[in-house]
Each structure stands twice: as C-alpha cells, then as structure tokens.
Amino acid sequence: MDLAYTPEEEEFRARLREWLGKVLPTLPPKPSPDDWPARRAYDLGWQRMLYDAGYAGLHWPVDAGGRGATPTQHLIFLEETEKAGAPYVGANFVGLLHAGPTIAAEGTDEQRARWLPPVLRGEEVWCQGFSEPDAGSDLAALRTRAWRDGDDYVVSGSKIWTSHAEVADWCELLVRTDPQAPKHRGISWLTMPMDAPGVTVRPLRTLAGSTEFAEVFLDEVRVPVANRVGPENDGWRVTMVTLSFERGTAFVGEVVASRRVLGELAREARKNGRWDDPALRRRLGRLNAEFRALWRLTQWNVSESERTGGVPGVGGSVFKLRYSHARQELYDAAAEVLGPESLDLSREWTLDRLSSLSYTIAAGTSQIQRNIVAERILDLPKGR
C-alpha cells in the first residue's frame, strides 16, 4: 500500500479545492429534508455543475462517459468535497454509485449509451429494487417473478427499502427468471422505468422521520428484454458487481464526515464541561484512532482497486463491517456529550444517531459481511 500522493494527485487536489471555493458560495439554500421533489432538483442541479466542470463520473471509464481517473483521484475528490461541505450525492446515490458503475462494467454499448449520460448530466434518478419483505439478508431468496412474453418480461412481486423510489426515473431491479433453478441462479438484473403501468410506490417513514425508502409493488409490469443487464439467469454475478461498488468507496465521504463530527464533539464537550470526564476523553480518543484506522483501510482498498482494474474487492466488506459499528459508537458518544439534549430531535446529532442504527443492516447486514470475510478472505468453510 502506497500512502503517498504523487505531484499530479496533489495538483488535482489543489484545482479541485479552488473550484469548490468558487462554486459552493453560489449554491441555493438546501431544501427541507421532507421535500423530496425539491431535494431531487437540488441534487440534480449539483450533479449538473459537476458535469459542466468535468468532475462527474470522475472514476468511471472514459468510454462510459467518465474521466477515467484513478481510484486515488476519486478518493481525493470524495475527501475534498466532504471537507468543503459540498452537497452529497443525495438522490443520485443509486445511479452514480450502484447502477451506473454496474452498467458501465456489465452493460452493452447500447445500454451504456442510453443510461449513463443522463446519470452523469444530472437528468435521471435511479432507485434500488433488491430487498424484499421475505428476503432481507438472504437476497438470493427473492421471489419477485419475471417471465418472458415475446420481447418483454412480465414482472410481478414487491420490493422494500427501495432507496429514493418516490423520485426515481429508473430502478435497478432483481427478479427471478427461473424459479426451478437453485436460488443463487435463475436471477436476472433489469432496468425498469418507474413510470411503467403496474408500478405502485408507497413511501416508508424511518425512525428519524425521513422517507428516502419505499415499498414498491409490481403488478404485471412489462420490462423490455433489452433492459436486462448481463445474460438471463446470471443476475447474481452481476449483483455481486453492484454490491462491490456499494461496499467499496460508497462510504468514504462518511468517514471524512465522521472524523469532522468527532472533532466537533470534543469542542462541544470542552464547552459544556463534560470534557472533565476521563472516561469520555478515553472514549473519544479511541474513536479517533478507530476512524484514523478506517481511513487507512480505505486507502488500502483503493490501492487494491487500482491493481484490479478499478472494481472494489472483498476488502470493502471488512471496511463496511467495522465502519457500521464505529458510526453507531460515534453517535452513542455524541449522546453522552449532549446529555439530556440528546433527546432533542432538532439536534443534528440526535437524528444522525437514529440514522446510524440502520448501518449494521443497510448495504448488507453485519452478519452477511462476516460471512463474506470468513469465506472469501479467511478461506473458512461455509456455515451450515
């Protein structure tokens, strides 16, 4: 692992900082967290600014519309935009970090030409239709069925925890195309238009009061066979490509944000007198070491990704596993610093604490990550 940055990489960092310093003051105020149409417009507007400046799809291949930057340059981009307080990808999350990279890696030339440019230009939003009510952690147990009818698949079933479904144009959808095959086979990866007849979206309200997830009900929705990414019944392999991106650099910005929050917690503790508690100081010190180690792990994963052609490896599962728990510990410490104020839902840290509870479930539960680490890194036998 090489932790040093080259002169070219530092020059890239300097140019990015200069650009961020110019454009961020020109952004309109952030919309209300509950106003998803306004949040969609705000996020797409920021994506368009990135596109016009040449920063959209930074690490995507050039033939997919990106800049072909190295994973290290992408890491610098994520670090600097978070430090500068730039908007997060928001409603563009699935398109930029999941569906887009998957289509770039697995799609045909026609599919790449159709779906990638609108994502990069900030014109279309994607949602993720993977999880189901009866197939949560066991993704391969999904039941949503798709059968061939001429040039279409006819899809019926339901999805849950579908990210950004209420404002999405497209859905990366997993369906079962061969119910007789073993459960890890017989799955296909489709792109489904969210305005297709038979699609019903029902927003879900989280513990924090937000509605970035939804249930999606599919009643004989017709999806062209041409919208299938990868061969029929090869969707599990394609999905592993998607999840490698989800668990690769998707949380990098959040590590930077967590380190910033940790510094803010220390300042708050000094201000309100809780810094005098040696147990709290030890706790914050240990968390500082934890997030420094996670940042180094991120750099290691990026170095590994550069050696393997840009697709994140299973090291992302190690990162996701530890980061999920570290984030929960961070906001437990925030509650300790705030004291009774930690019950005030108007405090940002309070809402972040509620949100952190989902991290050991979202993007693959901690149990699933442990299985991946055990089987694919430690070469242990599969559990029975």
Side-chain angles (χ1 to χ4, degrees):
M1 175 174 61
D2 184 4
L3 300 182
Y5 294 105
T6 66
E8 293 77 15
E9 288 165 348
E10 292 294 2
E11 181 183 355
F12 170 78
R13 186 192 300 274
R15 290 198 307 271
L16 175 60
R17 282 182 178 175
E18 181 181 6
W19 180 77
L20 289 169
K22 291 178 181 178
V23 301
L24 291 182
T26 70
L27 293 179
K30 289 184 178 180
S32 166
D34 296 327
D35 188 346
W36 271 103
R39 289 180 66 177
R40 171 192 159 106
Y42 182 86
D43 295 339
L44 290 179
W46 171 243
Q47 180 61 29
R48 183 68 200 205
M49 293 179 73
L50 291 172
Y51 178 82
D52 290 340
Y55 290 116
L58 189 68
H59 62 301
W60 287 20
V62 173
D63 62 1
R67 288 186 56 181
T70 67
T72 298
Q73 287 176 315
H74 185 219
L75 182 67
I76 292 171
F77 172 82
L78 294 171
E79 182 182 14
E80 292 299 325
T81 51
E82 178 59 42
K83 283 183 176 178
Y88 186 51
V89 289
N92 296 314
F93 183 86
V94 176
L96 285 170
L97 303 181
H98 298 178
T102 303
I103 294 171
E106 298 290 334
T108 64
D109 290 342
E110 292 78 10
Q111 290 171 337
R112 288 152 64 109
R114 165 58 189 90
W115 285 303
L116 298 185
V119 170
L120 294 177
R121 291 194 298 259
E123 296 170 356
E124 293 180 345
V125 170
W126 285 69
C127 64
Q128 185 180 64
F130 282 16
S131 297
E132 294 186 8
D134 296 322
S137 299
D138 187 7
L139 181 59
L142 66 90
R143 298 181 181 178
T144 295
R145 178 76 196 283
W147 60 94
R148 289 284 294 264
D149 181 21
D151 292 332
D152 291 336
Y153 288 109
V154 180
V155 182
S156 288
S158 66
K159 297 290 179 176
I160 198 168
W161 306 118
T162 309
S163 308
H164 306 310
E166 60 185 300
V167 292
D169 303 292
W170 292 91
C171 178
E172 53 171 1
L173 184 71
L174 291 185
V175 296
R176 186 161 296 284
T177 41
D178 184 356
Q180 305 304 319
K183 67 178 186 178
H184 286 84
R185 308 186 187 279
I187 294 172
S188 296
W189 200 105
L190 306 180
T191 64
M192 180 185 72
M194 290 297 289
D195 60 356
V199 177
T200 302
V201 176
R202 182 186 299 166
L204 292 169
R205 192 165 296 278
T206 69
L207 182 66
S210 60
T211 57
E212 66 263 33
F213 302 109
E215 292 179 283
V216 176
F217 300 94
L218 309 170
D219 183 13
E220 297 190 354
V221 180
R222 301 189 76 88
V223 178
V225 173
N227 287 22
R228 187 189 66 234
V229 175
E232 185 171 277
N233 300 326
D234 194 31
W236 184 256
R237 183 191 60 80
V238 178
T239 300
M240 292 303 100
V241 173
T242 305
L243 296 181
S244 73
F245 287 111
E246 182 178 47
R247 297 165 189 165
T249 56
F251 292 100
V252 169
E254 297 192 37
V255 174
V256 178
S258 294
R259 296 178 71 182
R260 171 178 51 77
V261 169
L262 190 59
E264 293 171 354
L265 285 178
R267 288 190 289 274
E268 178 69 19
R270 290 187 177 95
K271 186 170 65 175
N272 66 18
R274 289 187 169 82
W275 190 252
D276 296 333
D277 181 354
L280 175 63
R281 293 200 304 272
R282 283 196 298 271
R283 186 175 193 179
L284 294 181
R286 186 182 60 77
L287 281 168
N288 181 52
E290 182 89 38
F291 283 108
R292 286 173 65 89
L294 280 167
W295 184 248
R296 292 306 192 196
L297 178 58
T298 297
Q299 291 177 308
W300 186 91
N301 285 337
V302 166
S303 295
E304 183 69 14
S305 179
E306 288 190 342
R307 286 193 292 269
T308 58
V311 177
V314 293
S317 288
V318 179
F319 170 84
K320 166 62 171 60
L321 175 62
R322 189 55 225 159
Y323 173 71
S324 297
H325 291 271
R327 183 179 175 89
Q328 292 177 350
E329 293 168 10
L330 171 67
Y331 287 104
D332 283 346
E336 188 175 344
V337 170
L338 290 174
E341 292 185 47
S342 64
L343 301 176
D344 182 359
L345 291 178
S346 67
R347 294 295 300 258
E348 182 180 2
W349 290 340
T350 301
L351 292 175
D352 285 339
R353 188 186 184 201
L354 295 177
S355 173
S356 74
L357 299 177
S358 69
Y359 274 63
T360 47
I361 300 173
T365 67
S366 290
Q367 291 84 351
I368 293 296
Q369 306 303 336
R370 290 189 182 98
N371 285 343
I372 293 172
V373 170
E375 296 171 9
R376 303 185 192 177
I377 297 178
L378 302 178
D379 201 26
L380 296 178
K382 290 182 179 291
R384 293 181 181 271

